[in-house]
Amino acid sequence: MPDAPSTVLLASVDAGSSSSVTLEGAREYSFYPVGFEQDAAAAAKASDKGKQKPMLGTDLDKDGHPIPLSQQQPQRILGFMPNFRSVSAGGVPPKPGWKLNFKVATRQSFDYSSFLFLGITSLSAEGINSHPVLGKGVGGFYAYTWRGFLDKTDGTYLGAWFLPSLLHEDTRYYAMGSGNIAKRILYVISRQGVTRTYGGRQTPNIAGLGGKVLTQVISREYYPAGATDFSVLATKFGYSAMRDVAFTSIREFYPQIAAHYIRKHREKMARLAASQNP
C-alpha cells in the first residue's frame, strides 16, 4: 500500500470517533466512496459559511453520526478490488430496487478489475486443464475466457439484480464490523444461506443461491459436452460459494486492517517528526 498521508488523524481510527482525511489521502487509499470529491467541495463551501462540515467520505448511521473508519466499507479494497455491494457496519445504504440493483450489477460486471481477475482465472483454468474438452494453449485460453465472462455476468445479473429485485431480497453484504472473530467468520459463512428482505428482516438467501444455480443451468448452453455433467456443474457451484465466502471474509475484516495500518504509519511519522525536531 502507498504511504499514508501525514494528515490522517489518529482519532479517525478509534472506535466511535469521526473520520478525517485529506482529499489526497482519500484518493490515495481508495478507501472512501465514489463522490468524495463532491463531498470535499461541499465541506469547503460549508466551512466558508461557518456551517458544520459534512464528513468527507464518511458513511453515517441511522442517527446521522459518522461511522468510524475502522468499520467503513471502501468502494475498493486495496485500491482495485471492487466492493460495491457492501454496507458499513451500522450504515444506512440507499434503498434497493430494480434501478439501483441493475446499476450496481452492471458496475460490478464491467469494472476493469473484473477483467483482470477473469484473465487470471482463465489462465489458471487452462493451465490445470480444468475442462479438457476446451483445449490448451491460446485456443484453450480463449475458450475459457469468453465462457468465464458469461458465467460471471450471468451470475452477477441474476444474483445481484434480477432475482433480488423480483423477490425483494437485499443481497448486499451488511458487515458486522466488530466483535468476536469466530462469530464474525460464522456470520460471513451464514450469509451464503441468509440475507435480508427489503424491510430488513432475515430471510433465506433464495436470490443469491438461486443465481448461482441458474448460472450453472444456463452454462449448459455454451459449454460443450463433457463440461456440463451434473458433477462438473455441482463442483463449479461449490467453488462459486467458496469464492464468495473468501471475498466476503476480506470485506468483513479489511476496514480494521486498513485502519490499523493507517494508525501505525501515523504513529511512525509522528515519532520521526519528533526525532527530527527535538
Side-chain angles (χ1 to χ4, degrees):
M1 292 180 68
D3 289 342
S6 61
T7 49
V8 174
L9 303 183
L10 288 176
S12 69
V13 293
D14 292 333
S17 65
S18 64
S19 298
S20 179
V21 66
T22 61
L23 181 62
E24 178 183 0
R27 181 180 293 110
E28 188 173 19
Y29 275 96
S30 297
F31 201 96
Y32 293 94
V34 171
F36 64 79
E37 294 93 342
Q38 290 82 354
D39 290 341
K45 185 175 181 180
S47 178
D48 291 340
K49 294 182 178 179
K51 298 179 180 179
Q52 183 179 3
K53 296 181 181 180
M55 301 306 298
L56 173 60
T58 304
D59 291 339
L60 303 178
D61 62 19
K62 60 183 178 62
D63 298 318
H65 300 142
I67 295 173
L69 183 63
S70 59
Q71 295 182 6
Q72 288 189 50
Q73 288 290 322
Q75 289 280 287
R76 295 186 184 277
I77 293 174
L78 295 176
F80 72 97
M81 295 174 62
N83 189 33
F84 310 136
R85 301 185 63 241
S86 294
V87 180
S88 299
V92 181
K95 292 183 178 180
W98 286 96
K99 183 177 180 180
L100 177 65
N101 293 348
F102 181 81
K103 181 178 179 180
V104 173
T106 299
R107 188 180 181 195
Q108 186 88 23
S109 296
F110 296 98
D111 186 74
Y112 72 89
S113 60
S114 297
F115 294 97
L116 174 63
F117 286 115
L118 174 62
I120 294 174
T121 55
S122 298
L123 189 62
S124 62
E126 184 276 332
I128 63 176
N129 204 23
S130 296
H131 302 298
V133 293
L134 296 184
K136 295 284 291 179
V138 176
F141 175 73
Y142 174 73
Y144 281 105
T145 300
W146 73 261
R147 289 177 173 86
F149 175 75
L150 290 180
D151 287 347
K152 177 180 69 68
T153 52
D154 287 349
T156 300
Y157 278 106
L158 285 169
W161 169 59
F162 182 73
L163 290 177
S165 302
L166 183 67
L167 301 173
H168 285 197
E169 293 181 6
D170 187 354
T171 57
R172 291 173 293 190
Y173 177 66
Y174 285 76
M176 288 188 68
S178 61
N180 181 274
I181 293 179
K183 182 177 180 180
R184 291 168 71 182
I185 292 176
L186 290 175
Y187 172 78
V188 167
I189 297 173
S190 73
R191 294 309 91 183
Q192 288 296 303
V194 180
T195 190
R196 298 187 181 198
T197 65
Y198 279 10
R201 294 183 294 102
Q202 300 291 303
T203 187
N205 190 7
I206 298 174
L209 293 175
K212 290 182 174 63
V213 171
L214 287 178
T215 297
Q216 301 309 319
V217 172
I218 294 173
S219 73
R220 293 173 59 91
E221 299 299 320
Y222 52 84
Y223 274 87
T228 57
D229 296 338
F230 176 80
S231 60
V232 174
L233 298 180
T235 299
K236 289 171 61 180
F237 174 89
Y239 279 136
S240 176
M242 287 190 292
R243 283 195 301 270
D244 275 0
V245 169
F247 183 58
T248 303
S249 298
I250 295 174
R251 290 190 284 182
E252 173 65 35
F253 294 101
Y254 175 78
Q256 285 181 299
I257 296 172
H260 174 77
Y261 174 86
I262 294 173
R263 182 174 61 247
K264 288 298 183 181
H265 187 86
R266 175 58 178 157
E267 291 172 349
K268 179 181 178 181
M269 293 297 100
R271 290 194 299 269
L272 181 61
S275 66
Q276 293 176 345
N277 300 283

